[in-house]
Amino acid sequence: MVCQWCESNSTSETSNTVYWELPDGTKVIEIHNTPTIHCLECGMNYQTDRTVKEIEDQLYLIDTSMLVKSMTYETLMAAPRLLKRNYFDFSK
């Protein structure tokens, strides 16, 4: 995979802790073990567009009032959904 920041081919897949603002802006949650790309050349850590979309869609589809301040990516993605899909996503 090519680094989105420096265009180097020296990347690896890893996991990292990220902080995400809820769609309604009421709070920020800490998400551990989030899939991450790490560039060995420039040192940047980032999430792919797909991972970002998965997290954002999930936060629209679940009852965010039930979320704790800190959780794993797997726990967030396994949370029961109130909706079948993100009806606010018009990019398709």
Side-chain angles (χ1 to χ4, degrees), residues 9-81:
N9 288 320
S10 303
T11 61
S12 64
E13 293 183 24
T14 185
S15 64
N16 208 344
T17 298
V18 298
Y19 300 88
W20 222 273
E21 183 177 355
L22 297 185
D24 62 4
T26 57
K27 65 181 174 180
V28 172
I29 58 171
E30 180 179 57
I31 309 169
H32 301 281
N33 300 327
T34 305
T36 300
I37 303 299
H38 173 70
C39 179
L40 302 170
E41 186 72 28
C42 70
M44 184 62 76
N45 290 309
Y46 61 92
Q47 284 66 51
T48 63
D49 291 341
R50 179 180 175 171
T51 299
V52 169
K53 181 163 179 26
E54 288 173 351
I55 292 171
E56 290 179 352
D57 282 350
Q58 184 70 347
L59 291 173
Y60 273 111
L61 301 174
I62 64 174
D63 181 0
T64 58
S65 68
M66 303 300 289
L67 292 178
V68 294
K69 288 186 175 192
S70 182
M71 71 196 68
T72 65
Y73 174 81
E74 293 80 15
T75 300
L76 172 64
M77 299 313 286
R81 294 180 169 190

